[in-house]
Amino acid sequence: MQTVHSIADLRAALAGRGRPAFVPTMGNLHAGHLSLVRQATGLGDVTVASIFVNRLQFLPHEDFDSYPRTLQRDAELLQAAGCDVLFAPREADLYPEPQTFKVQPDPRLADLLEGHFRPGFFTGVCTVVLKLLHCVFAGSPGAAVFGAKDYQQLMVVRAMVRQFALPVDIVAGATCRADDGLALSSRNGYLGAGERAQAVQLHAALQALAQAALAPGADLATLEAQALDALRAQGWQPDYLTVRRRADLQPPASLQAGTLVALGAARLGGTRLIDNLEF
Ligand code: PAF
């Protein structure tokens, strides 16, 4: 595996190597990321991963400074997973000057859920993802894999790629879970031992909400309020626990199995976790 830092070196490393398959990450890799990389190896001729902690998608009070940076270990894991090229730009490679031109995603998709609780988050995500896609693909077609754990991010990126007519297939990677059901996340490392044991309660809350939503005569607003109260009673501070249409993340007019997704974000101690469940 070749590691490159500048955009010029990335393009040189990819020249003449065929169709890229790409996995963007912020590093501190876990088994979920590595499953996306293995998925990507079947989607192109050359597998590329990026590691870049993107300051544009962090709010001032969030964990940009403390976000774990583990490049050496990540590089070893990527190589073992079949990655051919690691693009690890420095801040000055990707943002050589302040990034004053930004992607403004459709507010109907990007200002709800995560975007409501983290204003500007999807502007930061879309701005860096558009730049990364441009660096990797530069006009030649290929595929990029995004984890389904970040469900809304996957939808926002898909819509951006469609609207900018980028020649990239956005492929979903299934969420990897620990044995107890907790979705793997780089931020799980912030959890203390007691919190880690408790953390699966978010997934369990989504399962219970989804099951209750499909019961005859279910009243979604009541169920969502009950789910929030139940999580609070277990010591969480939830941002949202909700059932939406898979198609556009809007509240569903009818509760039809196979068209819905339960999404949740909640803080346990100082750690904010998100998860979702299609049903
Ligand atoms: O999902 C992530 O890790 C990040 O949001 C991404 C897509 C790498 C953009 O910084």
Side-chain angles (χ1 to χ4, degrees):
M1 186 183 76
Q2 195 178 346
T3 299
V4 293
H5 301 288
S6 73
I7 297 171
D9 285 350
L10 173 69
R11 292 201 169 127
L14 295 181
R17 293 184 68 176
R19 185 183 148 97
F22 176 47
V23 181
T25 82
M26 297 204 301
N28 191 29
L29 303 181
H30 52 68
H33 295 111
L34 300 174
S35 85
L36 303 182
V37 173
R38 280 191 289 273
Q39 187 172 351
T41 60
L43 295 174
D45 304 308
V46 54
T47 304
V48 187
S50 66
I51 293 180
F52 182 68
V53 184
N54 172 39
R55 83 166 57 242
L56 293 190
Q57 67 190 74
F58 289 79
L59 287 168
H61 65 273
E62 292 184 337
D63 54 344
F64 174 76
D65 288 328
S66 58
Y67 198 88
R69 285 147 172 97
T70 51
L71 186 60
Q72 186 54 44
R73 177 181 161 277
D74 290 347
E76 287 160 18
L77 292 170
L78 285 171
Q79 178 155 18
C83 180
D84 299 307
V85 177
L86 166 58
F87 178 41
R90 295 148 298 211
E91 182 111 0
D93 291 302
L94 223 48
Y95 300 134
E97 56 186 281
Q99 185 72 29
T100 49
F101 286 68
K102 295 184 183 153
V103 176
Q104 187 64 62
D106 185 341
R108 288 170 304 177
L109 187 55
D111 283 4
L112 59 160
L113 303 171
E114 284 302 287
H116 176 77
F117 287 95
R118 304 179 70 192
F121 172 68
F122 285 114
T123 293
V125 168
C126 285
T127 303
V128 81
V129 169
L130 187 63
K131 285 191 89 153
L132 290 168
L133 293 179
H134 187 65
C135 295
V136 173
F137 295 96
S140 63
V145 189
F146 286 76
K149 184 178 83 69
D150 298 300
Y151 197 89
Q152 188 180 7
Q153 172 172 279
L154 176 64
M155 292 188 66
V156 170
V157 168
R158 273 210 174 112
M160 178 183 73
V161 163
R162 192 176 60 240
Q163 289 210 355
F164 284 97
L166 301 179
V168 186
D169 296 329
I170 301 299
V171 178
T175 301
C176 287
R177 296 185 181 278
D179 288 344
D180 65 353
L182 174 66
L184 298 193
S185 161
S186 298
R187 291 191 170 100
N188 291 352
Y190 297 158
L191 297 167
E195 292 171 337
R196 171 61 192 85
Q198 220 191 315
V200 71
Q201 289 168 345
L202 178 61
H203 178 54
L206 293 173
Q207 284 177 312
L209 178 59
Q211 198 182 352
L214 293 182
D219 172 44
L220 196 50
T222 305
L223 293 177
E224 288 176 347
Q226 287 170 347
L228 288 168
D229 285 345
L231 211 50
R232 276 190 202 105
Q234 291 172 307
W236 293 69
Q237 297 156 270
D239 282 343
Y240 58 87
L241 271 182
T242 185
V243 171
R244 297 295 172 104
R245 295 194 295 234
R246 282 188 215 174
D248 56 7
L249 296 185
Q250 294 300 317
S254 68
L255 295 170
Q256 207 183 330
T259 66
L260 303 169
V261 56
L263 304 116
R267 208 171 288 278
L268 185 58
T271 309
R272 187 172 183 278
L273 301 177
I274 66 170
D275 202 353
N276 67 80
L277 188 71
E278 289 185 327
F279 66 102

